[in-house]
Amino acid sequence: MSDLTLRPATDEDLPALVRLRDAAARWMNSRGTTGQWQPGELAEDHFRRIMEHGEVWIAELDGRTAGAWELWWSDEAAWGAQPPTAGYIHRLMTDHTHAPPGTGRHLLRAAEHRITETGRTLSRLDCLTTNTRLTDYYLTAGYRITGHKHAKPQPTGTPKSFTLLERRVG
């Protein structure tokens, strides 16, 4: 992954983030994972809001967006009030037409590294309870299931149930 460049997203990246998120949603849906993401759910204002209160990271390969992720410093909707010991990874996504195999795992490790840079020791994330393929992906990456959140509010409407996972980092 030496050719992959990672950097914080800027306002200029907002259209690319929306395109990447929509393409990832179409990719998941084409493989039978239809409840997690839908194209058109998130617009530029979503990523702009995250950049104001957390971080959004872009991965580039050969001058093109190859992936991205969000990093939050709290997630009370899923985890409740918590001490500031964790970073919360959201919307880890890759461009399946451009990114080489292993890019997702590389981005996950980069997000974990960023969490440790802030002095936090836990990486947390969630995935749709019915998305067992994604849950297995995170389990093989060293995460463990710590619980479930039923009826977590969603930015686009209907609450969903999620599996909560965490991994000690640093």
Side-chain angles (χ1 to χ4, degrees), residues 19-157:
R19 282 191 306 273
L20 180 65
R21 175 35 168 79
D22 286 349
R26 283 189 297 276
W27 182 83
M28 277 195 282
N29 289 336
S30 74
R31 281 154 180 75
T33 304
T34 57
Q36 184 106 14
W37 293 351
Q38 296 301 317
E41 280 182 321
L42 300 180
E44 291 181 11
D45 63 322
H46 166 82
F47 295 101
R48 186 179 296 110
R49 188 173 54 258
I50 299 304
M51 289 169 20
E52 291 171 2
H53 302 287
E55 298 178 6
V56 179
W57 285 80
I58 294 279
E60 294 177 321
L61 182 64
D62 301 327
R64 292 179 48 196
T65 301
W69 74 89
E70 296 175 9
L71 190 53
W72 302 3
W73 302 117
S74 68
D75 186 358
E76 288 192 27
W79 293 83
Q82 296 285 323
T85 58
Y88 300 83
I89 301 169
H90 287 277
R91 275 167 273 293
L92 179 71
M93 49 194 167
T94 61
D95 178 343
H96 293 279
T97 64
H98 181 63
T103 298
R105 187 65 52 96
H106 183 76
L107 299 185
L108 181 61
R109 295 300 178 231
E112 293 168 352
H113 179 73
R114 175 68 186 125
I115 291 167
T116 62
E117 285 180 337
T118 68
R120 296 177 184 224
T121 58
L122 294 171
S123 175
R124 292 184 173 148
L125 46 84
D126 60 45
C127 58
L128 194 65
T129 300
T130 57
N131 192 342
T132 56
R133 185 180 302 162
L134 187 57
T135 299
D136 289 344
Y137 175 83
Y138 289 123
L139 291 172
T140 62
Y143 284 76
R144 64 182 184 87
I145 296 172
T146 61
H148 298 278
K149 173 64 179 180
H150 301 286
K152 178 184 172 189
Q154 296 299 293
T156 57

